[in-house]
Amino acid sequence: MAKKNENKLEDQKSNDLKKNTVDNNGEFLTTNQGLRINDDQNSLTAGERGPTLLEDFHLREKITHFDHERIPERIVHARGSGAHGYFELHESLSEYTKADFLQTPGTRTPVFARFSTVAGSRGSTDLARDVRGFAVKFYTQEGNYDLVGNNMPIFFIQDAIKFPDLIHAVKPEPNNEIPQAASAHDTFWDFVSLTPETMHNVMWLMSDRAIPRSLRMMEGFGIHTYRFVNKEGKSFFVRFHWKPVLGVHSVLWEEAQKISGIDPDFHRRDLYDSIDKGMFAEWDFGVQIVNEEDEHKFSFDLLDPTKLIPEELVPVKIVGRMTLNRNVDNFFAETEQIAFHPGHVVPGIDFSNDPLLQGRLFSYTDTQLIRLGGPNFHEIPINRPVCPFHNNQRDGYMRQTINPGQSSYHPNSTGEGFPKQAKESEGGYTSYHERIDGHKIRTRSKSFMDHFSQPAMFYNSLNEVEKQHVIDAFSFELGKVKKAEIRERTVGLITKINKDLAKLVADRLGIKNPKPDKIMNHSYPADANPNDYQPMDANPDPKSSPAVSMANTRKDSIKSRMIAFFAADGVDAKSMENMKKALGKQQAIVKIVAPHAGEIKTSSGETVKVDESFLTADSVMFDAIFIPGGKKSINTIVGIDKAKTYVQDAFKHFKPIGAVDDGEEFLQKSLELKSKELPKGVLLNEQASAFIDAIKQHRFWERKV
Ligand code: HDD
């Protein structure tokens, strides 16, 4: 069986990692030199109560290694969670690209994906309002290909030279290192208010996209326009998409805040647990392809990373699927040490002149040199390609490879000319022969000056609930800003996107008459005429793009959704088991929440294991609540205040709530339902199928709360 696996492409990386996997099971404790340790409890001392001796090599080695355990965290995207899996191509892209892994349907390529928040430190909460990183390393037969994207299709800035400014502004303020993992503070909004190009990404950041329900329920985007190049040398522009099979879903801001306290590892745990249970995380992979000759047919510039290509103009062609099916064995060795780089490409994939992308191509290797301690980070197991690699790069800290022979240069005769260059026909990478003709200048193209049309399109595309959440988010974030002029300037910018939105936010902030700042773009060169840098008025084309609204996502699965069952001694075994079975068939996860940990007894005397007590869990951890019957059980639960607030919160957060038989009494007492007509998504004595359909909806936004 193991032999068969070794031949499968998709297992190549995991087999490679096995070479470095050391299992301690059944082994003696030794030093790093292999010497068996006799006493790991006591230092070597001079006498029972005497000083510790310098001679104690075991103590010295153990403490020294411990002292050096930490490496610098990533300057951005420090907090992340990752998993292994594979990418399977379903439809050939050979018409557009010669990339080997995109040629033959059915080809499986091993991948490692890492998801992250941007601003917070390694130990910060998963549920911060933030962009999420979505980075995938494809271990292809032609070398590693990294698609290093985010869960939003656009970025804050147009030129990489502004990246340090953006990140300094959003990170904790330098004088007091406050706040952690939050954009709701003066420096971030100061930068935004002076840099109108940020507004499109800011709109997405204020939407529910910034607080996903699960890493498995968010989209991924390559953002930049890249190039495909086919075998004939013809090039196409391409944007990359990941679409989650479970749909795109979020939590509410109030939930996000609570989860951050109750379980800051919420997303990490969700990814780990679901893969552990065999419910693999899946995304469809899609491309938007634009012919070279159509480069200028859009109302925005394809090279501008603050713009998306509306899916209604260029549909996303789904060509494959990524399945993450294996958790890491060691978080540090794999998730922490993985090194991504948008410049890791394979033949058939090339860059556009997007100035943000071009700057990124420098930054990523540079950062790994400091983060991973030297130039040999490509030899770390998780970073090694599955295909062989040979070159004349040598030495450096922690070199692992032993290159025999006299020759470490090219051309050489001492090594018979090897390693030799590969012709294009042998898989040698050649850059696309794009014609470039221009002056050496520092300027921003006029075609990059439309900063408000797409934010306006985004807002127009949201439904009323989504819009309300954007208003609430702006009000919260700007409400945290201390300097009035920053708040006013930002609201001024919002007026350029949508006057109603600006007015609603202004009202919440006590701003009387929101006006755009006279000179709105403050990021222009010293010698420039500021007028040349003024943004254009919004003129969205198209007016709206239904594809950006999460309300239009697919809602056809409850796989891996967490359902709380409220139960105490005497719970009706039949109604509990029936629902549990029906949900289990759909691969939802049922958790028994009871007044105490341990076990409870059902009405028919069976013992049921309790998963959580009302003390250890909270409504925000679950997607839906179900209350089975059983008089005795209900009598107990009715007396527990936390159980009542649990249901009230679920109700307020628009979640499905189901009850049968005596469960109705508890629901009535908790929710004080007055009218005969039940609120949307509250189900009494309904079939399991109705409850399942309700969970598929995710939330009942139309419910009056
Ligand atoms: Fe970046 C990490 C995504 C612009 C410089 N970036 C990093 C990661 C993601 C992104 C997902 C984490 C990778 C991982 O999981 O290890 N970055 C983006 C996207 C961008 C972007 C989608 C714009 C479209 N980044 C960007 C710019 C620069 C950087 C303009 C610098 C000029 N990014 C870095 C970095 C990081 C990084 C400093 C930190 C850790 C690392 O690279 O490995 O080099």
Side-chain angles (χ1 to χ4, degrees), residues 480-497:
K480 291 271 188 184
V481 169
K482 294 195 183 71
K483 286 210 170 77
E485 70 259 29
I486 298 176
R487 295 198 292 266
E488 283 161 16
R489 246 194 336 258
T490 310
V491 177
L493 277 181
I494 305 174
T495 60
K496 302 292 277 181
I497 295 168

Side-chain angles (χ1 to χ4, degrees), residues 74-77 114 133-135 148-150 155 160 163 223-224 340 356 359-360 363-364 367-368:
R74 289 167 173 81
I75 163 77
V76 281
H77 298 268
R114 183 176 180 273
F134 195 123
V148 195
N150 282 342
F155 201 64
F163 192 67
I223 302 186
H224 310 284
F340 290 96
L356 189 73
R360 291 180 74 192
S363 182
Y364 287 70
T367 206
Q368 313 306 351

Side-chain angles (χ1 to χ4, degrees), residues 52 146 177 246 279 347 411 681:
T52 301
D146 293 354
E177 187 77 0
L246 296 179
M279 284 184 243

Side-chain angles (χ1 to χ4, degrees), residues 7-76:
N7 297 330
K8 279 205 271 168
L9 282 185
E10 71 195 76
D11 292 331
Q12 264 189 338
K13 190 62 202 170
S14 80
N15 290 331
D16 173 49
L17 291 176
K18 280 185 194 134
K19 293 181 209 148
N20 287 76
T21 308
V22 175
D23 190 349
N24 287 335
N25 221 354
E27 301 292 346
F28 283 114
L29 181 71
T30 73
T31 64
N32 283 335
Q33 308 307 316
L35 179 74
R36 287 184 186 171
I37 303 296
N38 172 260
D39 183 351
D40 191 39
Q41 319 305 323
N42 302 294
S43 306
L44 188 69
T45 54
E48 251 178 41
R49 301 178 58 249
T52 301
L53 300 177
L54 191 59
E55 183 192 321
D56 188 348
F57 51 81
H58 174 46
L59 170 77
R60 287 197 327 267
E61 182 193 85
K62 188 173 175 183
I63 300 290
T64 307
H65 197 281
F66 171 75
D67 291 342
H68 292 255
E69 270 177 13
R70 286 290 164 272
I71 62 169
E73 64 175 31
R74 289 167 173 81
I75 163 77
V76 281

